Amino acid sequence: MATRRPAAGGATSNNGAAEPDMSGPSRGIKLIGSILGPTTFLTALLLYFGHQHAYWYFDYFGVNATTMGLTTQDYVIRSVDPLFTPVTTAAAVCLVGLWGYRLLRRWLSDAAWQHLLRALRPATAVGGFVLVAVAVAGFVNPVALRPYVGVPGLALASGVLLLVAALRMARTATPRASEREPSTLAAAEWGAIFVLVGIGLFWAVTDYAKAVGTGRGVQQEQALPWTPDVTVYSEKGLGLSAAGVREVTCQAPEAAYGYRYDGLKLVLEAGDQYFFLPADWNPTDGVAFVIPRGDTVRLEYTAPGQERDGTC
């Protein structure tokens, strides 16, 4: 009885149909999926980037973010700010790249396509080495590339992808049917590629989260003149001392709150803390106030610049 020969690159099932080869890239992709699959991994990323955003936002005002008592929900919400632009940009670049690849592959003949690959291969390899060198320079001397937000991380991820593309083009140009890589070797290769590209993107987004957090602090400072004024009433003296902040001692014996503080702006209420800035705050010598929430403190809001009675 004649037997069916398996199709090239695949196995034969019981009914004679060729089964797809699950070695190489497919096994590497399955490995990557097993890592990224759990929601705990995604949650950890959101918490990390949210923490980076919060840390540098409060650091701009000279406040340690850990004193604010931010919750997990606060960090996850803050992670949207630094992740929105990178994720949108990465998705758009991938989509444009895939569309461009499909159009070129459809328009060009096989001979023209091979000629294009041969022309692109040297430039792709050189570009990959240059970008990886930039990433190494950013790792060795971070201060030199500090003004260029996200460049070292993007250089690492892009450089590795370009080197992979150059290698794939070289393998396509000189196929060796007699040689077949072990599936474990191919899976390890794709796993290493994933790790390097992931580290590069993680590095870039971390830098971007830092820049976004600091930028939001600058925006908050610029918006202070249009932020509602806050008068803080307290049962006991809080000792708030800063330029433009006035403490008034309430003389009425029946007053529920013995002290009043004017000239403040409420920036944030998080956890069990109020975060105040003086109306005239500046990054040179400005003072920030973190006050615990509770029944001993009452807030009263007025429109910016509105004249109020200075007594209790």
Side-chain angles (χ1 to χ4, degrees):
M1 179 182 294
T3 58
R4 292 180 181 270
R5 296 182 61 187
T12 303
S13 63
N14 293 333
N15 60 6
E19 295 180 348
D21 184 8
M22 295 304 293
S23 63
S26 298
R27 182 171 295 184
I29 292 174
K30 290 178 64 178
L31 175 63
I32 294 169
S34 66
I35 297 174
L36 293 179
T39 56
T40 52
F41 181 82
L42 178 60
T43 303
L45 285 180
L46 295 177
L47 288 175
Y48 174 80
F49 291 122
H51 177 271
Q52 289 294 306
H53 182 281
Y55 177 87
W56 292 106
Y57 173 81
F58 290 106
D59 181 77
Y60 180 77
F61 301 108
V63 176
N64 191 322
T66 59
T67 63
M68 294 302 304
L70 297 177
T71 63
T72 299
Q73 183 179 1
D74 293 328
Y75 287 127
V76 171
I77 292 175
R78 282 181 173 272
S79 67
V80 176
D81 199 14
L83 286 177
F84 179 81
T85 299
V87 171
T88 303
T89 303
V93 170
C94 289
L95 189 59
V96 171
L98 290 173
W99 285 347
Y101 171 80
R102 287 180 177 178
L103 289 176
L104 286 175
R105 197 67 185 92
R106 179 175 298 179
W107 289 344
L108 298 178
S109 63
D110 291 341
W113 178 255
Q114 293 300 325
H115 178 73
L116 177 62
L117 292 182
R118 285 193 297 269
L120 289 178
R121 191 168 59 218
T124 303
V126 171
F129 279 116
V130 170
L131 289 174
V132 171
V134 171
V136 172
F139 178 78
V140 174
N141 186 15
V143 178
L145 295 179
R146 183 174 297 172
Y148 307 99
V149 177
V151 167
L154 288 176
L156 177 60
S158 303
V160 170
L161 290 177
L162 288 179
L163 291 177
V164 171
L167 182 60
R168 297 287 291 180
M169 287 188 285
R171 288 175 177 174
T172 303
T174 57
R176 296 182 179 180
S178 60
E179 293 185 3
R180 178 179 174 82
E181 291 183 343
S183 58
T184 54
L185 179 61
E189 178 186 11
W190 282 98
I193 292 170
F194 164 75
V195 169
L196 290 175
V197 173
I199 289 175
L201 295 177
F202 188 86
W203 187 359
V205 177
T206 299
D207 283 351
Y208 183 73
K210 172 183 176 180
V212 171
T214 303
R216 296 305 182 197
V218 174
Q219 291 180 353
Q220 181 64 64
E221 176 195 357
Q222 295 173 345
L224 282 179
W226 296 275
T227 303
D229 295 329
V230 176
T231 300
V232 178
Y233 292 90
S234 175
E235 289 185 359
K236 299 180 179 180
L238 300 176
L240 306 184
S241 177
V245 178
R246 184 170 67 102
E247 178 186 82
V248 177
T249 303
C250 301
Q251 302 297 332
E254 69 278 5
Y257 299 92
Y259 296 86
R260 164 181 168 167
Y261 296 89
D262 297 313
L264 294 170
K265 304 281 188 175
L266 178 63
V267 176
L268 184 69
E269 176 185 342
D272 294 328
Q273 308 285 356
Y274 290 121
F275 176 37
F276 294 100
L277 288 177
D280 299 328
W281 187 91
N282 65 83
T284 303
D285 56 1
V287 178
F289 302 108
V290 178
I291 301 175
R293 295 171 53 193
D295 297 335
T296 61
V297 175
R298 181 173 69 87
L299 307 184
E300 187 175 297
Y301 299 88
T302 55
Q306 178 179 339
E307 294 292 337
R308 300 185 69 253
D309 184 6
T311 62
C312 295

